[in-house]
Amino acid sequence: MVDDGDAAVTSLSGSEDEVSSQLLLIARRRAAGDGVAAMDTSAEEEDDGGEDDSERVREILRDMATRNKLPLAKKSAGAIRKMLRKIVKKPGDAKARRMPTKNIIIKKYVADVKGGMEILKLAGFEVADDYVTMSEEVARANLGLLQTMVDQLEAAEGDMMALINAPPKPIKRQRCKGGCGFFAEAATDYMCSVCYKKKNNPSSSSSSSSSSEKKEDNVPKRCIEGCGFFGSPKFRDMCSKCFVKAGGVIEKPKLWHKKLRRAVTKLAAVYRFRKGMKVRAVQTNKRRCWACRKKVGLGGFDCRCGYVFCAKHRYANEHDCPFDYRRAHQKKIAKENETVSTKKFDKIDQ
């Protein structure tokens, strides 16, 4: 077959300048045709690669939903979707393409989630020096893939949300095999708790009989004298009146009235004693003089009586100090000067 360009070359006519211009035009058309063909083949290859990547993303999302809890997988998909959407909107944003692995979102919803880092690596991210990075060239080259991944993540997020909000499946309940009419569970061999205990613990029946006998023993009985009242074992199965008539003696409980009266008397005495004592006032504001109420700030003088005074009233005779300096000095001298005496010997009589 003869190409259109070859036919055009054979049909050239005219001057040399016209022929050269026509040959240049034909060459440009051929180059443009080869470029279009190459673009078509590269587009087909990109389509094949994009389909493989999208299928891989679907597999990772399915694996993420099965290996992790659904709420965590949903939050992880949402976090990754937001990261990729920022890059799609602004591929040149360095902050969106470079994030530390210590970031709480990366750590909690990507690194600690099974399948999270695989999605980032498939998108073009690389982990290096405690950072998750993507170069600007890769981001601009994979814009189509990133947009596809954003759409898939959004769809997967919706599916996971639907599964989370789906009502639980009703559990079919089965009647007890023992024929008692109650419902049973598979954990107890489809028997109710009572029938299951009877089957596996026959001793429980004997214990239940003994407990019923004990209950019968604890039932109150009528008085044996026939008065109609209930009797008591401590009154020999008689009521209290019949027991006294029969000559029994009822021990009276210890009277607590005397102890209470004695305690009330003691408390009243303590109250009167404390009421008569003078209550010593407490200085709450330490930045004023206790005698003249003058402001002293941090320059007040602490007295041994426990109050703060100004420069005028700091002496003991100026504020009638109740502290006993004499006794304090006596105690100090006695403590510092211990008594020294010789050992006493018994006298020997000649």
Side-chain angles (χ1 to χ4, degrees), residues 83-340:
M83 292 165 54
L84 298 181
R85 180 170 288 176
K86 287 181 181 179
I87 298 173
V88 170
K89 288 183 178 180
K90 294 182 180 180
D93 189 1
K95 290 184 179 180
R97 292 183 287 101
R98 188 173 186 271
M99 289 168 289
T101 54
K102 293 182 181 179
N103 189 345
I104 185 63
I105 297 175
I106 300 294
K107 188 176 186 309
K108 188 175 181 180
Y109 296 121
V110 179
D112 294 344
V113 178
K114 297 173 182 177
M117 293 301 294
E118 295 180 14
I119 295 178
L120 289 187
K121 289 179 181 178
L122 187 61
F125 280 95
E126 295 179 356
V127 181
D129 298 334
D130 296 332
Y131 279 91
V132 181
T133 58
M134 178 191 289
S135 62
E136 186 176 355
E137 294 79 8
V138 174
R140 293 187 183 279
N142 295 341
L143 282 178
L145 174 62
L146 294 176
Q147 184 61 47
T148 305
M149 293 178 71
V150 168
D151 297 338
Q152 289 179 345
L153 287 167
E154 190 172 1
E157 195 176 355
D159 295 340
M160 292 177 190
M161 192 67 190
L163 290 174
I164 292 170
N165 296 330
K169 294 181 180 180
I171 301 172
K172 294 182 180 179
R173 304 184 70 184
Q174 188 174 346
R175 297 286 181 177
C176 176
K177 288 182 179 180
C180 61
F182 288 96
F183 288 102
E185 296 179 355
T188 57
D189 296 335
Y190 295 102
M191 299 175 70
C192 67
S193 59
V194 177
C195 297
Y196 185 75
K197 287 180 180 178
K198 286 181 181 179
K199 179 182 177 182
N200 297 324
N201 299 322
S203 60
S204 61
S205 59
S206 61
S207 62
S208 61
S209 62
S210 62
S211 62
S212 62
E213 290 176 359
K214 288 181 180 178
K215 288 181 180 178
E216 290 177 359
D217 293 339
N218 293 330
V219 173
K221 297 179 181 179
R222 298 285 179 176
C223 178
I224 59 175
E225 296 294 330
C227 63
F229 290 97
F230 288 103
S232 176
K234 64 180 181 180
F235 298 143
R236 288 180 275 175
D237 295 333
M238 292 186 289
C239 65
S240 59
K241 290 185 177 180
C242 297
F243 181 72
V244 172
K245 288 179 181 179
V249 179
I250 299 175
E251 295 181 359
K252 294 183 179 180
K254 295 180 180 180
L255 299 177
W256 49 271
H257 299 284
K258 292 183 179 180
K259 293 183 179 180
L260 178 62
R261 198 177 297 113
R262 197 179 299 117
V264 170
T265 305
K266 289 182 179 180
L267 288 173
V270 171
Y271 174 74
R272 291 194 203 97
F273 176 74
R274 290 188 175 179
K275 191 176 181 182
M277 292 176 62
K278 292 182 179 179
V279 181
R280 190 170 182 272
V282 180
Q283 185 178 7
T284 55
N285 189 0
K286 299 283 186 178
R287 299 197 175 189
R288 285 184 178 271
C289 177
W290 180 250
C292 63
R293 305 297 298 166
K294 180 182 177 182
K295 283 187 178 180
V296 293
L298 299 175
F301 297 90
D302 291 329
C303 184
R304 299 184 75 175
C305 62
Y307 300 114
V308 177
F309 299 95
C310 62
K312 181 181 177 182
H313 298 98
R314 62 175 174 162
Y315 299 106
N317 56 350
E318 293 290 338
H319 63 266
D320 297 331
C321 185
F323 185 76
D324 193 354
Y325 288 91
R326 183 182 177 185
R327 185 164 186 149
H329 284 297
Q330 285 177 352
K331 287 183 178 179
K332 183 179 179 182
I333 291 169
K335 186 177 181 181
E336 292 177 354
N337 301 308
E338 297 181 358
T339 56
V340 180

Side-chain angles (χ1 to χ4, degrees), residues 346-350:
D346 296 332
K347 291 183 180 180
I348 301 173
D349 296 333
Q350 292 181 354

